Each structure stands twice: as C-alpha cells, then as structure tokens.
Amino acid sequence: MRAIHLGAAVLCAQVGLAVPHAGHQKHRHAARHLETYYSTITDIVTVTAPNAVVWVDQFNNIISTEYRGQANSPPPTETLSTTTPAGTSTAVSSSVGPTDGAPPPTTLASVSSSVALPTSAETTSPSSTVTPTPTTASEVSATSSSTTSSGISGSDDNQAGGGGFGICYELITETGCKTNDQLNNDFTFLASQGFSKVRVYDVGCDLGPVARAASAANMQLIAGLNTITNVSGDIAKLIGFLTGNWASVDTIVIGNEVVNNGGDPNAVVGALGIARAALSAAGYTKNVVTVDVWSQLLRYPQLCQNSDYCAANAHAYFDVNTSADEAGTYVYKISQQLAAVANGKSVVITESGWPWQGQTNGLAVPSPANQQTAVGGLRSAFSSNPGGLFLFQAYDATYKAPGPLGVEQFFGIYGH
C-alpha cells in the first residue's frame, strides 16, 4: 500500500502432498483497477527424506525446506515432481540444509486451493506462492523466539525507540498534509500504545517536521519513495527534507510494491544503487531497502539481496482462505519463509493489518471485532520479535479511493 502525492490527487513419511498456493496479493495504496478470476492449482510434492517439508511454487521453484525431529540428520536430496496447470510435469533434484526455527509440525492432508490470479499485465509474471502451513496461534507464540527473522538491523541497540512494534502512518488528510500539532499529538499517542517505530510514505509532505515529531516521541522513522520513476529527483527532495534530521531516521525505502505493480525488479535494484549513493553523500549511513509484497521477494530474491534487510508487506485479509483469527499465524509463517531465503538478513513485515469495514473476501470478513482479533493475533505471533512487524495502520486513510473490495480507507486501528 502506498500514499499518493498530494496534488496527484511435508513430511513425516514418503507421501504425495498437494500444496495449496497463496492468492496473489492485491493491496495497494493508490487507487487500483484490478480484475481477478479464480482457478484451482495443485502441486504434488514427493519427498524422499522422512523428516523434510519442502515448499515449492507452481513453477517448481523451491521456496524453503523444513527438517523436523532429527536436528543432526545430514541434508538429504529431494526429488520434486510438480504438475502445472497446463498438465506438464517436471522434476528437480537439489541438496538442501535444514531450516531452523520451524514451528511444531502440523497434520497435512492432500488438498487443493482456489487462488486469485491476475488477468491484467501481471499475468505475464505471476507471483502466487505456497500458502503458509496452518498452525495455531499458541504454537506460533511458543516458537516465535526461535525464528531467524528479526527486527530492523541495528535498531534495538543503536537507535531511538528500542525494539517495539512499528506502526504505519498516513501523512495526508482530505484537506492536506498533517500539521505539526497533529504529528506531535499522534506520535505521542502512538508511542504511549507501545509503538517505537513509525513508517510514512513518499515525499508529498515535508518530512522534516515528521522526523522531528518522531524524535520528540522517542520513535524511529521509516520514510522513503513510493515509486522509482524519478529516483534522482525524489531522493534529492527527501534529502532536502531530512538533512539535519537524520538522527531519528532508521530506514529509507526506495519503492513500495513496485514489482507487484508490474515494475522490473532489476530496475528496482538500480534505483537502490542510485539512492544509496546519494544518501551516503548526504551523510546518511543507516538502512536502505525496497519494500514489496512477500511473494515477490520470494520470486525475486535480488530485492532482498540488494536491501539492508528483507522488507515485505503481508496482509492476511487478501488471502481468501484466511480468517481474522488466523492472521497472526499466516503472517508469521510468511516471515519464516522469507527468513529461509534471506541469507542471514533480517526480515521485517513492513505492513500487516485488517480492515474494519468493506467487502467479505472469502473467509476474510472486515469488521471492528475482526480487526481487533487480527491485530491481537499479529501482536501475539510477533511478541518475541516486535521489531519484525509494522501494523497497518494507525488511522483511516479517508482521502483514498475505496478500491475493488472497498477497504482501502478502513485499515485504521484507532479513531473509529
């Protein structure tokens, strides 16, 4: 999701397993024009290791592997056989090592899942990936301390605000950019709710007062650019806003969901390089990342490789098979999948929330009660790693268009 510029408006035996895929996530900040249809996709995975769980996507790409019950077993070789929607079959062999920090095993059955697939230009680069394995919230809470994902790199010890949860925050109202008083009052309140980081979007409003309000509330600031169409000009504008205010800034984001919106991942990597050089010359020495939908980071690992940590947006509401009480488990499992391919880098879920109003999306039902349930589940799932989660979002974005499911305005946790 992103704000707009102001003015621009497994397996425990050798078995066959059908692995359901997660629907393509359709969550954006600006107004969207999306058309989807639903199709059933089933992948059959045959694993020769009795204690291995191998996750693959519909293109037979290995996403991650879990080893259960035999921590010291040597890495086995898996043979993966995948049936694609077109009916063709391919096989891949690979040697993989164990993934640490997996939650306790769950019983898996042979299932198929309806997933949303794009009918727009995104069809040429589908990003559907495996649905996170269901586990209970208590299992997630009990095991989350062993996950390899962690909070923002270096933040807990060296930056203001410590390692509490993050919160996403809109700078724009229906009447313009928020005033200094609004920023100070809002950030003071959010800090009192236990948030130590605040994420804002783009350069449509002056970020200097935002950084100063964050500093006054003892919060860290995550700011940046939504798009990469004018990186040099936009990063210069951002630097102008933040020069003299770098102390409270923990992360600069270069591109929010650019690939998910049809952009070239290699162009994003190039934009990161341009921005990093300019920021370094301006005296900024901390984190520079790009943010995209989690499935795109799995498909294009260079997005993580060229960021200082893996930054992913993950919203359980946009998976038709996930209800509000499963939101925390769903997003936590995503963070584990990302950690398995992050090559030791930290993983931060930079957006995750639940709308309190809008259309039902399969099992996902917007309501105030369900929003509280989902947010509570997210907090519980990440309780041992709060720095790894930004809740979306502090207040409603009333200036936005409702979007295809009528929810874009209604993710605000407070004030309704």
Side-chain angles (χ1 to χ4, degrees):
M1 302 184 99
R2 63 169 178 268
I4 58 175
H5 279 282
L6 189 64
V10 181
L11 291 152
C12 295
Q14 297 180 11
V15 298
L17 170 67
V19 183
H21 294 286
H24 185 69
Q25 192 162 338
K26 297 290 187 183
H27 191 36
R28 303 178 184 171
H29 278 270
R32 302 170 294 175
H33 303 282
L34 301 175
E35 299 177 359
T36 61
Y37 65 89
Y38 290 86
S39 174
T40 297
I41 297 175
T42 301
D43 282 356
I44 305 301
V45 180
T46 302
V47 181
T48 62
N51 65 327
V53 181
V54 180
W55 298 99
V56 299
D57 63 17
Q58 70 268 35
F59 304 104
N60 205 28
N61 299 312
I62 298 173
I63 301 302
S64 64
T65 304
E66 299 174 12
Y67 290 85
R68 296 171 175 170
Q70 299 180 16
N72 298 321
S73 298
T77 298
E78 304 106 11
T79 300
L80 308 179
S81 178
T82 300
T83 301
T84 68
T88 58
S89 181
T90 59
V92 175
S93 294
S94 64
S95 179
V96 296
T99 300
D100 296 330
T106 54
T107 301
L108 300 178
S110 181
V111 296
S112 63
S113 175
S114 294
V115 299
L117 298 177
T119 59
S120 63
E122 293 172 352
T123 303
T124 59
S125 64
S127 62
S128 298
T129 58
V130 293
T131 300
T133 307
T135 57
T136 67
S138 60
E139 287 174 329
V140 170
S141 180
T143 62
S144 59
S145 61
S146 64
T147 180
T148 56
S149 63
S150 62
I152 294 177
S153 177
S155 299
D156 294 355
D157 296 330
N158 300 322
Q159 306 302 326
F165 288 105
I167 187 77
C168 298
Y169 181 87
E170 296 282 357
L171 295 175
I172 301 173
T173 70
E174 291 176 318
T175 58
C177 296
K178 291 187 177 179
T179 66
N180 291 355
D181 286 344
Q182 286 175 307
L183 292 170
N184 286 318
N185 290 337
D186 286 351
F187 286 9
T188 298
F189 170 75
L190 293 172
S192 76
Q193 300 303 299
F195 296 106
S196 66
K197 307 175 185 73
V198 59
R199 180 186 176 194
V200 300
Y201 297 85
D202 219 23
V203 290
C205 297
D206 188 347
L207 297 176
V210 182
R212 291 189 288 274
S215 180
N218 198 32
M219 299 178 79
Q220 300 164 50
L221 179 65
I222 288 77
L225 313 180
N226 283 342
T227 67
I228 60 170
T229 54
N230 181 28
V231 177
S232 296
D234 287 345
I235 202 66
K237 186 176 182 180
L238 178 145
I239 289 170
F241 288 149
L242 292 176
T243 295
N245 296 291
W246 292 123
S248 64
V249 180
D250 179 88
T251 301
I252 298 298
V253 173
I254 306 302
N256 183 66
E257 298 189 3
V258 170
V259 176
N260 196 58
N261 292 336
D264 180 357
N266 293 322
V268 175
V269 171
L272 280 166
I274 293 170
R276 198 184 301 275
L279 288 163
S280 179
Y284 176 77
T285 59
K286 288 176 268 185
N287 299 302
V288 181
V289 304
T290 191
V291 173
D292 223 299
V293 173
W294 64 276
S295 55
Q296 301 293 1
L297 298 182
L298 289 175
R299 188 171 186 201
Y300 301 105
Q302 64 265 44
L303 298 175
C304 279
Q305 292 166 1
N306 288 275
S307 295
D308 289 320
Y309 57 82
C310 292
N313 293 343
H315 292 271
Y317 166 78
F318 293 96
D319 185 293
V320 298
N321 298 308
T322 302
S323 57
D325 59 334
E326 299 170 321
T329 299
Y330 177 92
V331 176
Y332 175 80
K333 289 293 294 184
I334 286 171
S335 72
Q336 287 201 312
Q337 288 180 264
L338 290 168
V341 299
N343 294 324
K345 289 189 176 182
S346 299
V347 173
V348 178
I349 302 300
T350 43
E351 284 186 12
S352 194
W354 195 273
W356 62 272
Q357 182 173 309
Q359 298 176 26
T360 294
N361 184 36
L363 298 179
V365 181
S367 73
N370 281 346
Q371 183 189 61
Q372 291 183 21
T373 296
V375 169
L378 287 163
R379 283 180 173 269
S380 177
F382 286 82
S383 60
S384 66
N385 177 33
L389 176 68
F390 281 74
L391 291 174
F392 188 89
Q393 59 186 342
Y395 305 104
D396 283 345
T398 54
Y399 73 95
K400 290 182 181 178
L405 292 170
V407 297
E408 295 296 328
Q409 299 169 332
F410 305 116
F411 278 80
I413 298 171
Y414 303 105
H416 65 80

